[in-house]
Amino acid sequence: VRKSRKETAKTRKRIVAAASAEFREHGIVATGLADLMKAAGLTRGGFYKHFRSKADLLREVTTASIDLKTATMKANAAKRPGQKGLNAAVASYLSLDHRDRPRDGCPLAAMGVELARADGKTRAAATEGFLNYVEVLASHCDSLPPDQAKKRAIAAATTMIGALTMARVVKDAKLSESILKDAADFILRSFE
Amino acid sequence: VRKSRKETAKTRKRIVAAASAEFREHGIVATGLADLMKAAGLTRGGFYKHFRSKADLLREVTTASIDLKTATMKANAAKRPGQKGLNAAVASYLSLDHRDRPRDGCPLAAMGVELARADGKTRAAATEGFLNYVEVLASHCDSLPPDQAKKRAIAAATTMIGALTMARVVKDAKLSESILKDAADFILRSFE
DNA sequence: TGTACATCAGTGAACGCGCGTTCACTGATGTAC
DNA sequence: TGTACATCAGTGAACGCGCGTTCACTGATGTAC
């Protein structure tokens, strides 16, 4: 049942969107292609009309989901100028809402170390995404020279990713909240 | 071929040790019981003479590997008193050597978000392990009151975990080193 | 513009394979007398 | 201390199942005239 070019393009996007959510919620290895295609409203066989392999899809998912999240972060930061914008972006990243919604949250935190085991192109996409985060943070740090700002932004980004991950791992609700809060304070104090 | 109690206990430990290494290197879901038993020098069937399920093993692996890593961190920190000890522990955690040897490295960084998807008991074990890390760091921070020290130690621990994870994800070697270094500076500056 | 034909998106069964788990079996270890 | 028997660590085949991938097929879409 051949579909029109427009519909084909839409289907492809639907698969990427479904995979983005499933990979982030359940992990890459733990998400099967059948689950994923079902989530996109299709049957398993059709997958290969759009992608050569699961690894190929992962690469596209990584790029797409990080780009989207970077845009969100940029938008959050852009609401206010300079330091205040940075605070807003950090607060939104380290929020309970973000912690509880991995499906549309930061892919670096949600897929985490699984990306370290992915192929070169996927890791390159993750690397580029990480640098985009860093740039957003650094651009809102106007009290420091650019190279210093970048160094701090790198550290701030890793703190955010680590804190979000651990807030999800930890079972104790109070400790989980504390992790998010302490990490946010830690970052903001260091930019003062 | 029944084994003596002593040998049985040793075998059990061997399975836990093999699983600790395999889970950290390849991920929990991606490591099969057959691989794991082979790494321990046994065949697949014998597994269930020692553990009820893979989830049961994971719980034991989590506890054991975090305890071991906490001891290492404590030992690194204890070489020097106060702040200098903390610096040593952070430097050793954020080293190239640690980055390149996940098999015997920090389980929180190596299993990362997979632990967030594990059962309650495993998450509780991970939580306890995280708090042990925090305590080691906080105990070497003598210039601050205890509650302040704990907050900073929590943030420092998440930074370390996030930085190690991202240093493994990132493909560019220079950036990877920079992540480790910038995170270490970030932490040390905040404790000054 | 209309018709004939090639293309190809999507289906659903099937491929070989490895997964976690179970089981009958073996034979050394541990226990009871 | 020696003997008879129960226990159980470890083996390796088998269980049902879901994995990623392939394939023959369908029929609407796109193309060529």
Side-chain angles (χ1 to χ4, degrees):
Chain A
V1 197
R2 185 176 184 178
K3 295 298 172 83
S4 75
R5 288 210 244 275
K6 205 174 255 181
E7 269 195 277
T8 301
K10 263 166 78 175
T11 302
R12 190 190 164 90
K13 278 185 190 165
R14 218 161 3 103
I15 297 173
V16 172
S20 292
E22 296 293 312
F23 286 171
R24 282 181 275 189
E25 183 162 4
H26 300 113
I28 299 162
V29 177
T31 300
L33 288 189
D35 300 336
L36 192 156
M37 290 299 279
K38 200 176 179 184
L42 299 163
T43 54
R44 59 170 356 102
F47 177 80
Y48 295 89
K49 286 277 147 58
H50 295 278
F51 304 94
R52 295 165 88 98
S53 66
K54 193 184 178 184
D56 250 52
L57 170 65
L58 174 59
R59 190 187 331 139
E60 194 156 329
V61 162
T62 302
T63 305
S65 59
I66 292 194
D67 283 356
L68 227 63
K69 194 66 195 170
T70 304
T72 305
M73 231 161 95
K74 207 166 190 167
N76 279 326
K79 282 176 192 161
R80 291 156 152 241
Q83 177 74 31
K84 294 218 167 175
L86 190 140
N87 294 10
V90 171
S92 144
Y93 190 100
L94 293 172
S95 67
L96 296 183
D97 192 58
H98 191 185
R99 180 195 66 187
D100 297 334
R101 306 178 76 232
R103 286 176 73 84
D104 55 3
C106 174
L108 294 174
M111 306 201 279
V113 81
E114 281 198 274
L115 291 172
R117 301 182 195 112
D119 64 29
K121 286 182 180 177
T122 300
R123 289 177 64 210
T127 303
E128 210 191 324
F130 177 74
L131 286 174
N132 291 341
Y133 278 21
V134 169
E135 209 182 317
V136 171
L137 296 176
S139 74
H140 276 263
C141 169
D142 25 37
S143 62
L144 292 167
D147 62 326
Q148 280 286 324
K150 190 179 175 186
K151 280 172 196 287
R152 299 225 186 150
I154 286 176
T158 62
T159 302
M160 288 159 72
I161 292 164
L164 189 61
T165 303
M166 287 312 301
R168 283 171 178 158
V169 168
V170 149
K171 221 195 158 195
D172 181 72
K174 269 195 180 169
L175 178 58
S176 177
E177 283 193 48
S178 177
I179 287 170
L180 296 173
K181 197 177 177 320
D182 295 344
D185 289 347
F186 195 71
I187 293 168
L188 300 187
R189 191 156 27 75
S190 89
F191 277 106
E192 260 168 16
Chain B
V1 199
R2 187 176 183 179
K3 295 297 172 84
S4 73
R5 287 209 244 276
K6 206 173 252 180
E7 268 195 280
T8 302
K10 263 165 78 175
T11 302
R12 191 190 163 91
K13 279 185 189 164
R14 216 160 5 102
I15 297 172
V16 172
S20 291
E22 295 293 313
F23 285 171
R24 282 181 273 190
E25 183 162 4
H26 301 112
I28 299 162
V29 177
T31 300
L33 288 189
D35 300 336
L36 190 157
M37 290 299 278
K38 200 175 177 185
L42 298 164
T43 54
R44 59 172 354 103
F47 177 81
Y48 294 89
K49 285 279 147 55
H50 296 278
F51 304 95
R52 295 165 87 97
S53 67
K54 192 184 180 184
D56 251 52
L57 171 65
L58 173 60
R59 188 184 334 135
E60 194 156 329
V61 162
T62 304
T63 305
S65 60
I66 293 194
D67 283 356
L68 227 65
K69 195 66 195 169
T70 305
T72 305
M73 232 160 96
K74 208 167 190 166
N76 280 326
K79 282 178 194 160
R80 290 156 153 243
Q83 176 73 32
K84 293 218 165 174
L86 191 141
N87 294 11
V90 171
S92 143
Y93 190 101
L94 294 172
S95 67
L96 297 182
D97 191 59
H98 191 184
R99 181 195 66 188
D100 296 334
R101 305 178 76 233
R103 285 176 74 84
D104 56 3
C106 174
L108 294 173
M111 306 201 278
V113 81
E114 282 197 273
L115 290 172
R117 300 181 194 114
D119 63 29
K121 287 182 179 177
T122 300
R123 288 177 64 210
T127 303
E128 211 192 322
F130 177 74
L131 286 175
N132 290 340
Y133 278 21
V134 169
E135 209 183 316
V136 170
L137 296 176
S139 74
H140 276 263
C141 170
D142 26 37
S143 61
L144 292 166
D147 62 322
Q148 280 287 324
K150 191 180 174 184
K151 280 172 194 289
R152 297 225 187 150
I154 286 176
T158 62
T159 303
M160 287 158 72
I161 293 164
L164 188 60
T165 303
M166 288 312 302
R168 283 171 178 158
V169 168
V170 149
K171 221 194 159 197
D172 181 72
K174 268 195 183 171
L175 178 58
S176 177
E177 284 193 48
S178 176
I179 286 171
L180 296 174
K181 194 174 179 324
D182 295 344
D185 289 348
F186 196 69
I187 293 169
L188 299 188
R189 191 155 26 74
S190 89
F191 277 107
E192 259 168 18

